[in-house]
Amino acid sequence: MQTGTLFYVVGPSGVGKDTLISEGMKALGPSGRYVQVRRMITRPAGIGEDHQPVNDETFAAMVEDGRFLHHWQAHGLRYGLPIGILDDLKAGRNVIANGSRGAIPDLAGIVDRFVIVEITAPPAIIRERLMARGRESAEEIEQRLARTVEPLPSNLDVVTVVNDTALDEAVTRHVAALDHHASRLFLKRVPIASARRRMAYLREDNPLVDAAALAGEGRIEITHAGTGAVRAELDLVEPCDMLRPDEIGLSREVFEALGVGNGSLVSVARTPSPSSRKILRRKIAGERLRADDYETLFGDIVDGRYPDGETAAFLLKAIQSLDDEEAIAVAKARCRFGPRIDWGSPSVVDKHSLGGIPGSRITLIVVPIVAAAGLLMPKTSSRAITSASGTADVMEALCRIDLSFADVDRVVRETGGCIAWNGRLNHSVLDDVVNAITRPLALDSNTWSVASILSKKWTAGSTHVVIDMPYGPNAKLKTRAEADELGRIFERVGAGLGMTVRAFATDGGNAIGNGIGPALELRDVMKVLDNAPDAPADLRNKALFFASQILSFSPEHGSHAEARRTAEEILVSGRARAKLDEIAAAQGAHSPIMPGPFTRTIAAPRDGMVEAVDGWHIAGIARRAGAPHDKSAGVDLKVGPGHEVFKGDPLFMIHSGSVASLERAVAAATPETGITLSSSGIRPSHIPIDPREAPPAPTVT
């Protein structure tokens, strides 16, 4: 078994081949793993390279005796590489031999590891070097440069080193190329299934790499020149029959991911790079990082170069200590992971809500108003994760939302806006990796979220963004002060990315509108767009507020008051409803999904005044009814805070598409309706309020 590699170095005269070999040996020789072979040449000593001179008769006799591994003839001279090279290769030493491009040997079955090293340089540099050497005339040099060069064999390993720079840099390239190929290992699939933990295995006595060092920190990267690379954790095994010393074993999952056969030669390197690890350690130690630093770390994290433990340590420190400037750095680094969409417009608007408020579907009203006013608003929204409905779920009750980039581009250019699902469009591999670690550990940071949100807005091509930040006991933000501070960070980070961002704290103490669930929320939206007399006032007011804030970005509006008048005119005139129909048609409209046919009314258990409506508990009832997967399921509120009811009056109606789901929802609503009634009952001086009247609008500040 030969664990050493024979490097056969070729290149034209003047390319600097001899210099690179001799200077490279100064760096490689001390390791004891590399030797330079002296060629036998029928040329006297002292002329040209350091060779072993022999005459023609002796050379012929050596050929006859089989004392050459390889020999050839060129320029009237005979050249030979001694057979003793095989002893070096068997001993694990790498042999560097000066060869000839026109006489590349066929050593299949004789040498296990054979690499051609091609040294090249631009013709102008070769010309200059040949002239400085002074051995040939200018005409001879031009003839040499004009020679046709045959391509190297495609079935052999070839590495090219370009010698077109300072000597020390060229030597570094040469040494790196040799060391990379000398450390290659034969691939072997081992009968081990490692599931999520991608595993590789090396023998402790591996002669080609420092197995103990590779198994130390981080993961290793296994690279095959033809198919790419995979990363894996590394375990060491004692000398055994499972692996040869020059093999690397891969678990089933890693072997299949790499996609090459047993016996292929692969390179192994520790990952991440020392410079990347240094950056990570700086952050863990509490230092502040720049955008370039975060870009390096994010790239290595996404590529799986760090084990989960180190990634978690970095994220814990970053999430806990992110200030405004670093939030900008994180956002900028994230922006570099994808190209920005160019809409060809100086103003592309968007909105984002921190969410969590049941029934707050203002996007389906805001986008049509803004698009009807002539601004571009390519809006992407999420489906519900833990709530009864998300903006995308409601829009899906009207039309197709699973759009490709090409679909979004077409719809926005045709209509001025869209409301598409962000799962296909704003997917971030970085977020997948980060969430897989942070969610089980309950790691969260509003500042980190700001960087994530705004980087996605930037890559989507947005120039102006409004942020809705509801605060309240059940919202993500608990207090007005917390919302105001986060709004300041949104605006600061947005400015750092070159965007105009306005953030607004909004009262998130109650549900918005009457319906909770996709079809019911769509019904409320349509009532607002149709200017129906029973349209939810709170939903209408909040939508007009944010629509007017977006319109005020336009220089056509001198003030927010003017923008508000424009928004109301578009809504009242029916242009907003027409624009939503146009957008839905462009995305792929279908018949609107109606509230579920199976219903049950939950009545007031006694007389009283409604003090509070726990929208989050009501949303839980809607989920039991089947929402959001069943678009027809949900809860239709009949009362709001301040309404007076008598025993038996309807509090809300549950809708579902199936009887079984309806019964589950009723069971959840029976012990606790989620609606708090005053203990003192109805005040005699009060006239009961029509339960169909919309509850008061939340305060928008």
Side-chain angles (χ1 to χ4, degrees), residues 153-184:
S154 59
N155 62 325
L156 297 179
D157 283 335
V158 177
V159 57
T160 300
V161 177
V162 181
N163 184 14
D164 62 348
T165 185
L167 179 60
D168 56 348
E169 185 176 342
V171 171
T172 298
R173 294 177 186 172
H174 176 68
V175 168
L178 266 58
D179 204 44
H180 174 79
H181 282 75
S183 301
R184 291 187 301 172

Side-chain angles (χ1 to χ4, degrees), residues 10-348:
V10 301
S13 294
V15 81
K17 179 174 58 172
D18 294 330
T19 301
L20 286 185
I21 291 175
S22 60
E23 291 297 318
M25 278 303 300
K26 293 178 182 178
L28 297 169
S31 69
R33 296 179 57 225
Y34 291 84
V35 294
Q36 179 183 351
V37 65
R38 291 181 69 210
R39 298 191 294 184
M40 294 183 180
I41 308 177
T42 56
R43 180 171 61 194
I47 300 177
E49 67 179 273
D50 179 20
H51 64 281
Q52 184 174 339
V54 295
N55 57 36
D56 287 316
E57 292 76 12
T58 303
F59 195 97
M62 294 175 71
V63 171
E64 187 70 24
D65 293 342
R67 293 170 60 187
F68 289 121
L69 175 68
H70 167 54
H71 61 91
W72 69 97
Q73 187 168 337
H75 311 299
L77 300 173
R78 303 184 75 181
Y79 299 78
L81 302 179
I83 193 69
I85 287 174
L86 295 179
D87 295 330
D88 285 315
L89 297 177
K90 289 177 182 178
R93 290 185 286 272
N94 304 298
V95 178
I96 302 173
N98 194 336
S100 170
R101 186 186 187 96
I104 293 173
D106 180 5
L107 299 178
I110 302 173
V111 174
D112 293 337
R113 305 160 66 91
F114 180 55
V115 177
I116 299 171
V117 181
E118 180 187 30
I119 310 297
T120 68
I125 292 178
I126 296 177
R127 181 183 294 107
E128 181 180 341
R129 290 171 181 168
L130 290 174
M131 292 178 66
R133 192 167 65 177
R135 295 182 190 172
E136 298 167 295
S137 67
E139 183 179 353
E140 290 171 330
I141 291 174
E142 294 305 319
Q143 290 175 352
R144 181 182 289 276
L145 292 173
R147 289 174 184 168
T148 301
V149 177
E150 294 295 326
L152 293 170
S154 59
N155 62 325
L156 297 179
D157 283 335
V158 177
V159 57
T160 300
V161 177
V162 181
N163 184 14
D164 62 348
T165 185
L167 179 60
D168 56 348
E169 185 176 342
V171 171
T172 298
R173 294 177 186 172
H174 176 68
V175 168
L178 266 58
D179 204 44
H180 174 79
H181 282 75
S183 301
R184 291 187 301 172
L185 302 166
F186 289 106
L187 190 64
K188 182 176 181 180
R189 181 189 187 278
V190 296
I192 296 176
S194 56
R196 285 189 68 250
R197 288 189 65 201
R198 293 188 163 193
M199 296 301 303
Y201 306 91
L202 285 177
R203 277 178 45 157
E204 292 176 320
D205 61 344
N206 190 292
L208 300 175
V209 296
D210 188 340
L214 285 172
E217 300 176 326
R219 291 186 167 106
I220 61 169
E221 187 166 77
I222 305 107
T223 305
H224 182 268
T227 61
V230 295
R231 279 150 291 284
E233 298 177 54
L234 178 65
D235 277 349
L236 301 184
V237 298
E238 296 178 353
C240 61
D241 293 338
M242 185 177 84
L243 290 175
R244 295 200 320 254
D246 61 343
E247 289 180 325
I248 180 170
L250 301 185
S251 66
R252 180 182 66 195
E253 292 79 4
V254 186
F255 185 87
E256 292 175 354
L258 188 58
V260 296
N262 271 320
S264 301
L265 281 169
V266 295
S267 301
V268 178
R270 189 168 65 186
T271 186
S273 66
S275 60
S276 175
R277 187 174 295 283
K278 185 177 179 180
I279 295 171
L280 179 136
R281 287 174 173 166
R282 281 172 47 208
K283 187 57 192 176
I284 292 176
E287 294 186 31
R288 300 172 76 250
L289 301 181
R290 301 169 304 166
D292 289 346
D293 297 329
Y294 278 110
E295 183 180 6
T296 297
L297 287 181
F298 291 159
D300 284 344
I301 288 171
V302 168
D303 287 341
R305 291 188 167 94
Y306 282 105
D308 289 349
E310 291 185 75
T311 301
F314 158 71
L315 291 173
L316 175 63
K317 193 67 178 182
I319 287 173
Q320 289 178 337
S321 64
L322 213 61
D323 59 20
D324 289 8
E325 290 302 317
E326 274 203 287
I328 295 172
V330 169
K332 287 182 176 178
R334 293 177 62 100
C335 289
R336 296 172 187 173
F337 279 82
R340 189 181 196 193
I341 300 174
D342 182 6
W343 292 102
S345 173
S347 180
V348 178

Side-chain angles (χ1 to χ4, degrees), residues 676-701:
T676 303
L677 299 178
S678 63
S679 57
S680 58
I682 300 176
R683 290 173 292 181
S685 60
H686 259 264
I687 299 174
I689 299 175
D690 185 340
R692 294 173 299 175
E693 182 178 325
T699 302
V700 182
T701 55

